[in-house]
Amino acid sequence: MKAMSACAIALCLLFFACSKDDKPIEKPSPSGPKEKVAVTFSATGFTQETVDLANSRTTLAATAATDSMGRYVNYFWYLAYDNKGKEISRKFQKSSLGSNFGVVKDSLQPGGPYTIVMFASPFNLEFNGPDTIANGGYPYRNPAPLSLDSAFLSFRVVDWYWTKEAFYKKFTININNDTIVAARALDRIVGKVEVNILDANANQNITVRIDKECGYYFFNTGKTDAIHTDPEVPDIDNLQIIRPFKRVSPTKFELFVLNRTTPMVATITALDGNYKVMAERKVAFTNEWNKRVIITGKLFGPEIDPHFGFKVSLNTDWSSDSTQIGF
């Protein structure tokens, strides 16, 4: 499939004056001292071809199409902040809403600038705090509002660092009676690492881990929190808490990664029946958002060859640039 410069979810936003016959699908924000203007946000399609690398949904619409967003992400959040950074409105939707998924109606006072934050994911991501109920889902949780400077998207599940696929966009707008905002697109804010072990089989006990990861993405700055580093050998007082790779086939392992500031090491380990190490490889790599790092090689190879093992490359399905690293 032709590589694209970015994988994006189209957000076509249309603002219009509200008449008495308007029937918003969601209750607007409480009335303020000034008369408010109805605002409708539409996020119902894709503008570029994309690939879902986690499952069999391989190709999605190359142009905006009704309901295509619901074929790829299951949860959508909208947050509005005033010119002082105070959260004044939030909306949440599930893809089960059907054709109205991604259509959000709100009301804002004329003026601004307002900051709009939107994010979407196949998972119901927590924000403004760690996920303490393992993705139990809204409305069973409703994160406390924080100022724009403090608000963040969380990739922590209880004590785990557990990054999931996520798309995000922040922009500012001014509202008047005939405001029209150009189409917006959410950007993928994670990368993906795939490890292919050519000589593995389903009966082998193999784990793959990375040593460094982040847990939070801050709305206002677009930056992550400080790097957490797992110990090489876990012990009672200092356990490894970065979620290991998911094994999707006997030979393939996958993990979404948020950290893009610090080089990492993927440790590939095979254990025997007594949980002793049979073979182990360590592969250094760097992660970039909207790209896949593909690590491929043999785990059970001749030790006399120092160059035997894995090679690293960047896949171009998510982005147009590519780099290959050989060793």
Side-chain angles (χ1 to χ4, degrees), residues 6-13 45 47-48 118 167-171 182-188:
C7 175
I9 299 177
L11 293 176
C12 303
L13 296 94
T47 53
Q48 296 187 26
M118 296 179 176
F167 301 85
Y168 175 85
K169 176 61 68 174
K170 176 177 74 79
F171 58 95
R184 305 286 174 166
L186 273 71
D187 301 313
R188 186 184 274 112

Side-chain angles (χ1 to χ4, degrees), residues 39 50 84 111 118 120 159 197 202 221 237 267 269 285 294 307 323:
V39 184
T50 187
K84 295 181 180 179
M118 296 179 176
D159 290 330
I197 305 173
T221 62
D237 298 321
T267 301
T269 307
F285 69 96
I294 302 175
H307 299 292
T323 304

Side-chain angles (χ1 to χ4, degrees), residues 160-163 191-197 206-213 230 241-249 251-257 264-269 283 285 287 292-296:
W160 290 101
Y161 284 75
W162 193 348
T163 297
K192 189 176 186 181
V193 183
E194 297 179 5
V195 174
N196 300 293
I197 305 173
I206 300 174
T207 60
V208 184
R209 293 181 175 273
I210 57 172
D211 61 336
K212 296 179 177 66
E213 181 58 303
D230 263 354
I241 60 174
I242 299 175
R243 189 74 176 177
F245 283 58
K246 179 181 179 181
R247 191 170 192 171
V248 296
S249 77
T251 60
K252 185 176 182 178
F253 298 74
E254 296 179 341
L255 185 72
F256 288 108
V257 179
M264 290 161 278
V265 173
T267 301
I268 307 162
T269 307
V283 183
F285 69 96
N287 177 59
R292 289 191 304 170
V293 175
I294 302 175
I295 301 172
T296 304

Side-chain angles (χ1 to χ4, degrees), residues 130-201:
D131 188 342
T132 58
I133 58 172
N135 210 30
Y138 186 94
Y140 302 103
R141 63 180 185 210
N142 194 12
L146 294 178
S147 69
L148 182 59
D149 286 338
S150 301
F152 60 91
L153 192 59
S154 174
F155 295 95
R156 297 289 305 273
V157 178
V158 191
D159 290 330
W160 290 101
Y161 284 75
W162 193 348
T163 297
K164 299 179 175 67
E165 189 171 23
F167 301 85
Y168 175 85
K169 176 61 68 174
K170 176 177 74 79
F171 58 95
T172 58
I173 57 172
N174 288 285
I175 300 298
N176 55 54
N177 288 344
D178 57 357
T179 299
I180 297 177
V181 178
R184 305 286 174 166
L186 273 71
D187 301 313
R188 186 184 274 112
I189 57 169
V190 299
K192 189 176 186 181
V193 183
E194 297 179 5
V195 174
N196 300 293
I197 305 173
L198 302 178
D199 54 353
N201 64 61

Side-chain angles (χ1 to χ4, degrees), residues 31-44:
S31 299
K34 296 181 180 179
E35 184 178 354
K36 294 187 176 182
V37 176
V39 184
T40 298
F41 298 82
S42 177
T44 57

